[in-house]
Amino acid sequence: DVQFVPISAKTGMGADALLEAIAVQAEVMELTAVYDARATGVVIESALDKGRGPVATVLVQQGTLKKSDYLGCGVHYGRVRAPFDENGQQVDQTDQAEPSIPVQVLGLSGVPDAGDDFVVVADERLAKEVAQQRDTKRRESRLVATAGSRMEDIMASMGQNLGQANLNLLVKADVQGSVEALRQSLVALSNDLIKINVISSGVGGITESDATLAATSKAVIIGFNVRA
């Protein structure tokens, strides 16, 4: 049921065999995509670039993503500047990306999360509405307990049989993939003595608003490859 293709990132061995296996599998499963339509797809990775602002790497799944398209991407929106490929070059002369093509997109209002869906809409007003609706929905579904303790209080209470303690964390990292990995790894450390809650996470440096939120929520800030 599952193909195995040995590959090596160091030597490049097996890359051609992998591409051929994917092409054969797609043909057998009769996988097709619509070209002549507004693009939809998913965010693979995202980061905050010092010179270019929010940068999202997206994979086009249906339709064609073109320069100057208005985009609703997770809880953010924007107008697509010229899409770039993995080498930092413009995709092609037509400034567009067809299905199965991953491209870097600039011009968003913020840094989306990895795994967020994106959709091309008619105009900026609609893109903004889509982003706001998604943001409202995400806020409503985010049921994270904010009652926590400082690290010092938790260390002092451990071993005193006071029940399970809550430790709130605020995580910032350089890219969205690192944020997700840190969130999952930290939450998985919870046990009978302590419950770990990641109350907020994001990409970029640790800001004053992050410190304010941490102080209000009695949370500990963790920065990965970022500065305060």
Side-chain angles (χ1 to χ4, degrees):
D1 292 336
V2 181
Q3 293 192 63
F4 285 82
V5 181
I7 63 170
S8 170
K10 288 185 177 181
T11 65
M13 179 201 76
D16 292 337
L18 176 62
L19 293 173
E20 185 178 346
I22 292 172
V24 170
Q25 187 75 1
E27 187 175 346
V28 170
M29 297 176 68
E30 298 182 351
L31 299 179
T32 58
V34 177
Y35 280 74
D36 190 17
R38 288 177 181 160
T40 61
V42 66
V43 178
I44 302 172
E45 185 59 283
S46 59
L48 188 62
D49 190 279
K50 186 179 291 186
R52 299 186 295 175
V55 179
T57 303
V58 302
L59 179 65
V60 180
Q61 295 176 316
Q62 298 282 349
T64 300
L65 182 64
K66 303 173 184 175
K67 181 181 178 181
S68 300
D69 278 347
Y70 290 101
L71 206 65
C73 190
V75 297
H76 303 287
Y77 67 97
R79 192 174 188 181
V80 178
R81 300 182 198 169
F84 296 91
D85 62 16
E86 66 275 11
N87 299 315
Q89 305 296 322
Q90 289 194 19
V91 175
D92 57 26
Q93 298 297 323
T94 59
D95 284 330
Q96 64 183 30
E98 297 174 341
S100 82
I101 302 296
V103 289
Q104 286 189 333
V105 172
L106 312 179
L108 295 175
S109 59
V111 181
D113 293 339
D116 279 349
D117 293 332
F118 78 85
V119 58
V120 172
V121 294
D123 53 43
E124 187 175 13
R125 180 187 58 81
L126 191 56
K128 192 172 183 178
E129 285 181 7
V130 169
Q132 288 175 342
Q133 288 175 4
R134 288 179 172 180
D135 190 30
T136 302
K137 204 169 184 179
R138 186 172 292 186
R139 286 175 186 272
E140 291 173 354
S141 63
R142 187 180 294 164
L143 302 175
V144 179
T146 57
S149 305
R150 292 182 306 162
M151 187 75 79
E152 294 87 344
D153 299 334
I154 289 174
M155 296 298 291
S157 64
M158 287 185 72
Q160 296 182 12
N161 296 323
L162 298 178
Q164 189 182 45
N166 284 316
L167 174 62
N168 289 334
L169 299 178
L170 191 152
V171 178
K172 296 297 287 288
D174 53 346
V175 296
Q176 189 63 40
S178 298
V179 172
E180 294 300 322
L182 285 168
R183 280 185 69 114
Q184 294 178 16
S185 299
L186 290 167
V187 171
L189 294 175
S190 299
N191 54 37
D192 295 337
L193 295 176
I194 183 168
K195 180 182 179 183
I196 297 175
N197 299 317
V198 179
I199 62 167
S200 180
S201 62
V203 174
I206 299 168
T207 63
E208 187 174 346
S209 61
D210 293 328
T212 303
L213 175 60
T216 305
S217 308
K218 296 183 179 179
V220 178
I221 301 176
I222 294 179
F224 183 79
N225 274 353
V226 295
R227 63 179 184 177

